[in-house]
Amino acid sequence: MSPGPFIAVRNLTKTFKGAERPALDDLVAEMPQGRMTGLVGPDGAGKTTLMRLLIGLLVQERGTLSVGGFDSLREADRIRAISGYMPQKFGLYEDLTVMENMALYADLRNTVGPERGARFEELLAFTDLGRFRARLAGRLSGGMKQKLALACVLISTPRLLLLDEPSVGVDPVSRRELWRMVTKLASDGLTVVWSTSYLDEAEKCDQVILLHQGRNLYSGPPGEALARVRGRSFALGGLQGPEKRKALMALLKEGSVMDGLIQGGDIKVVTKKAGPAPAFPGDWRPVRPSFEDAFVDLLGGPSLGESSLALGMDDKPADGSVVVEASGLTKRFGGFTAVDGNSFKIRRGQIFGLLGPNGAGKSTTFKMMCGLIRPSSGQATIAGYSLGKSPSQARGRIGYMAQRFSLYDQLSVSQNLLFFSGAYGLHGRRQRERVELMKEVFDLRGYQHMGAATLPLGFKQRLALACAVMHQPDVLFLDEPTSGVDPLTRREFWLHINHLAVKGVTVMITTHFMEEAEYCDSIALIYRGRNIASGSPDELKELAASEGLPCPTMEEAFIRLIGRGGKPAAAWAAGSPGQEQRGQVF
């Protein structure tokens, strides 16, 4: 007889004051002991609410919840004693060192005596943070902060590990390391609940629970969900630049198409039912579906069609001119070189991706290109205006969406839109029209009086993008615009971005979602401040290919090229005999 579930959720309901519907609505779910459960769903589906109920930070109105045989209402203290919880914004103290943070959490968990020092050394070795024990937490990279957060959670040797979006904003190399550490813990018998917006992570979990509007839409092995989209995934090859974006826009209007996205020189579509490829001219071939295809299908598919944002934008001249140019761009902070002599050109209507691990210099490059910080040497021009000599004229042609939500938390949605439209020079009737259009395009009317700080993450990102584009810029700088948002929201963003590019808007973007990098016409891969590889997505994959991995994915190419660190391919191959196998991304 098999043992019962480690976590049992029965008819769980939780409603927050003022909400239109319950955050969790009669939820039923089970999670097995010693296994990894992926918790996925759109923004506002109830994932964080469920985790907070599991750890006893919230109390349900109805239903029951048990963890390790303990009832959440009567024995919440006993559940907390066997659990480790890493929330989305883990409470590291950035003015304390790595060791001081670990000591603080050991004190809170009453980990004392000889076992304390031994546990510290074990965790420092496990997370590879031993070299950084005296470094302030605030000076760690994003991936290292997540490792430290995990170490603090593990100090008391929990039986249950709750991780709420642990890899948001973390580059693929660090994400792989974090995944390996957590899967090792699960293999040693720890029960793990991993909430994620990266569906390639969810696909590698033992089971997945898909939440939507507080209900369990699917529960089971990820492979079983793939059955619903088999025979429905196709790729159209041989397309480049504006041609592939226009083809995707046309395909998304086809009645037989449920979903579609760009993958390098291909367009991948998922049809509404099994059968032949869409009746659209070109070189079609069947392809293997992904768990993300099944996820989108389970949610009923994205909103396809025209971008109402792009419809409200004026066309830019299709002259193929260079709109963005960096020449020998360098930035030093004291003795540290954040960006080292980088040069690139972006033509009108192109999408240019700036990729690299955390701390590579991507955001510093963005800030120099936007005129927010002055380069130590080199220069940047926007639409022919030098940021050094004509900064006001150059900045007037730019729309900028920062990596971290940079709007005014104290202002409402409407007040933020009014403030930024005025800052970009919009006034009177024109300003009112653009503000109302942004509310309509990004579905912000229901939130227009809400403070920006209290918006769900997906709507914060919508508001930030609205503020960046309302003045119809020539160039749009997007610094990780979809970090932490669900696949449906990401598709909504890319629907707008692709249509804007067709309209002639030039886009420069950073992202840790490698499937988003596939949308780019050209990519610069940045490592330790230097551009170590450039080209189209397909060219970078070809550059990373080897005998052991002849057809790498974009993520595999990223990891391989960063691993080479800019060395020539032959030199790297001679010194790196180990080869990852396809599919073993983490």
Side-chain angles (χ1 to χ4, degrees):
M1 182 177 180
S2 61
F6 189 78
I7 296 173
V9 180
R10 300 284 182 264
N11 308 108
L12 199 66
T13 300
K14 176 64 182 179
T15 307
F16 293 101
K17 185 177 180 180
E20 295 182 358
R21 55 176 177 78
L24 294 176
D25 186 7
D26 203 35
L27 180 68
V28 175
E30 293 184 350
M31 304 179 205
Q33 183 172 351
R35 309 298 292 274
M36 184 179 292
T37 297
L39 203 58
V40 298
D43 294 323
K47 302 185 296 294
T48 296
T49 299
L50 177 57
M51 284 203 169
R52 290 177 177 174
L53 284 162
L54 287 170
I55 200 67
L57 296 177
L58 296 174
V59 176
Q60 68 266 31
E61 286 113 54
R62 295 192 305 276
T64 62
L65 173 60
S66 68
V67 178
F70 301 122
D71 180 82
S72 64
L73 294 178
R74 294 181 288 104
E75 301 170 293
D77 288 343
R78 300 186 73 174
I79 292 175
R80 282 191 284 268
I82 65 168
S83 304
Y85 174 47
M86 186 172 154
Q88 287 185 22
K89 294 182 179 179
F90 188 68
L92 292 176
Y93 290 86
E94 298 205 341
D95 54 348
L96 297 182
T97 67
V98 168
M99 286 304 300
E100 288 168 342
N101 269 284
M102 293 180 67
L104 173 62
Y105 281 90
D107 290 341
L108 293 173
R109 284 291 192 171
N110 197 31
T111 302
V112 296
E115 66 178 277
R116 178 182 174 114
R119 186 63 174 162
F120 283 179
E121 293 305 315
E122 181 184 355
L123 290 171
L124 288 170
F126 179 64
T127 57
D128 196 27
L129 288 173
R131 298 167 291 160
F132 308 104
R133 62 181 71 207
R135 181 173 294 185
L136 294 176
R139 297 186 61 189
L140 297 173
S141 70
M144 291 166 67
K145 284 181 180 178
Q146 295 300 77
K147 290 181 183 180
L148 175 56
L150 181 62
C152 290
V153 167
L154 294 174
I155 281 174
S156 61
T157 318
R159 293 173 56 198
L160 169 66
L161 183 59
L162 301 170
L163 304 173
D164 196 358
E165 303 275 10
S167 49
V168 166
V170 175
D171 65 78
V173 176
S174 299
R175 202 156 59 91
R176 171 185 282 200
E177 292 174 356
L178 187 65
W179 181 267
R180 281 175 174 164
M181 285 187 279
V182 176
T183 51
K184 172 65 168 60
L185 294 168
S187 68
D188 291 340
L190 183 66
T191 302
V192 179
V193 181
W194 178 299
S195 169
T196 183
S197 55
Y198 292 92
L199 295 191
D200 54 348
E201 291 178 346
E203 192 168 358
K204 292 170 177 60
C205 291
D206 298 304
Q207 76 159 11
V208 170
I209 295 175
L210 171 57
L211 297 183
H212 181 54
Q213 296 184 350
R215 288 182 171 269
N216 187 344
L217 204 60
Y218 172 81
S219 182
E224 291 183 7
L226 290 176
R228 65 183 293 120
V229 287
R230 287 199 179 99
R232 295 169 51 190
S233 297
F234 302 91
L236 174 64
L239 302 171
Q240 295 297 327
E243 181 187 6
K244 65 184 177 185
R245 280 191 276 276
K246 290 177 181 178
L248 176 63
M249 290 160 58
L251 280 163
L252 292 179
K253 297 176 186 177
E254 289 278 332
S256 64
V257 173
M258 186 276 295
D259 188 23
L261 63 159
I262 291 172
Q263 292 185 333
D266 291 346
I267 294 175
K268 178 183 175 181
V269 300
V270 180
T271 55
K272 291 180 180 177
K273 59 183 181 180
F280 188 90
D283 180 19
W284 288 98
R285 66 185 188 278
V287 292
R288 178 185 178 275
S290 68
F291 179 69
E292 184 159 314
D293 297 334
F295 174 95
V296 172
D297 187 58
L298 282 161
L299 292 174
S303 299
L304 305 178
E306 293 284 349
S307 163
S308 51
L309 172 63
L311 289 174
M313 298 279 284
D314 299 330
D315 287 317
K316 311 292 181 184
D319 54 11
S321 60
V322 174
V323 181
V324 178
E325 184 172 2
S327 178
L329 208 60
T330 299
K331 182 62 182 178
R332 302 181 188 90
F333 296 98
F336 173 68
T337 302
V339 177
D340 188 5
N342 288 337
S343 300
F344 50 83
K345 295 179 181 180
I346 314 174
R347 298 189 180 277
R348 188 176 300 281
Q350 283 190 325
I351 300 177
F352 180 84
L354 200 63
L355 304 187
N358 296 112
K362 304 184 300 297
S363 293
T364 302
T365 300
F366 259 49
K367 289 173 182 176
M368 287 191 286
M369 297 303 299
C370 293
L372 297 176
I373 60 176
R374 187 179 294 274
S376 303
S377 61
Q379 61 179 352
T381 59
I382 303 294
Y385 293 105
S386 167
L387 279 159
K389 298 176 180 178
S390 307
S392 297
Q393 293 93 327
R395 282 196 290 262
R397 313 297 286 271
I398 290 171
Y400 175 51
M401 182 176 169
Q403 182 178 5
R404 291 179 176 82
F405 186 62
S406 57
L407 306 180
Y408 289 92
D409 285 349
Q410 309 94 316
L411 300 183
S412 69
V413 167
S414 292
Q415 289 168 336
N416 267 290
L417 289 169
L418 286 169
F419 174 82
F420 280 93
S421 59
Y424 281 124
L426 299 178
H427 302 286
R429 179 180 176 182
R430 181 63 171 163
Q431 181 186 34
R432 293 192 296 272
E433 288 175 348
R434 296 301 296 180
V435 167
E436 291 306 310
L437 177 63
M438 293 303 106
K439 291 179 184 177
E440 186 70 28
V441 167
F442 292 102
D443 196 23
L444 293 171
R445 291 198 187 280
Y447 298 88
Q448 61 185 329
H449 302 301
M450 184 180 292
T454 59
L455 289 172
L457 176 60
F459 282 92
K460 283 185 178 181
Q461 298 298 79
R462 289 179 183 180
L463 175 58
L465 181 57
C467 289
V469 300
M470 70 173 72
H471 62 299
Q472 303 198 55
D474 284 278
V475 181
L476 188 56
F477 289 96
L478 303 173
D479 198 359
E480 297 189 30
T482 60
S483 180
V485 302
D486 64 85
L488 292 185
T489 305
R490 290 206 303 275
R491 278 162 172 73
E492 175 193 335
F493 268 55
W494 278 99
L495 177 72
H496 295 314
I497 294 167
N498 281 315
H499 280 69
L500 289 175
V502 170
K503 284 271 191 173
V505 177
T506 303
V507 180
M508 185 172 176
I509 187 167
T510 71
T511 181
H512 288 317
F513 287 96
M514 292 299 101
E515 65 268 26
E516 289 187 348
E518 300 269 19
Y519 282 95
C520 297
D521 299 297
S522 183
I523 291 170
L525 185 56
I526 307 297
Y527 182 56
R528 295 180 178 174
R530 293 186 301 111
N531 184 348
I532 64 168
S534 297
S536 70
D538 288 343
E539 287 170 341
L540 290 188
K541 286 184 278 188
E542 185 177 347
L543 186 62
S546 67
E547 184 178 345
L549 192 62
C551 299
T553 64
M554 192 65 219
E555 181 155 312
E556 289 164 340
F558 176 98
I559 292 169
R560 278 177 165 262
L561 293 171
I562 291 297
R564 296 179 187 177
K567 298 176 185 177
W572 174 81
S576 302
Q579 305 288 347
E580 298 97 352
Q581 295 300 311
R582 167 61 66 83
Q584 297 175 342
V585 176
F586 293 97

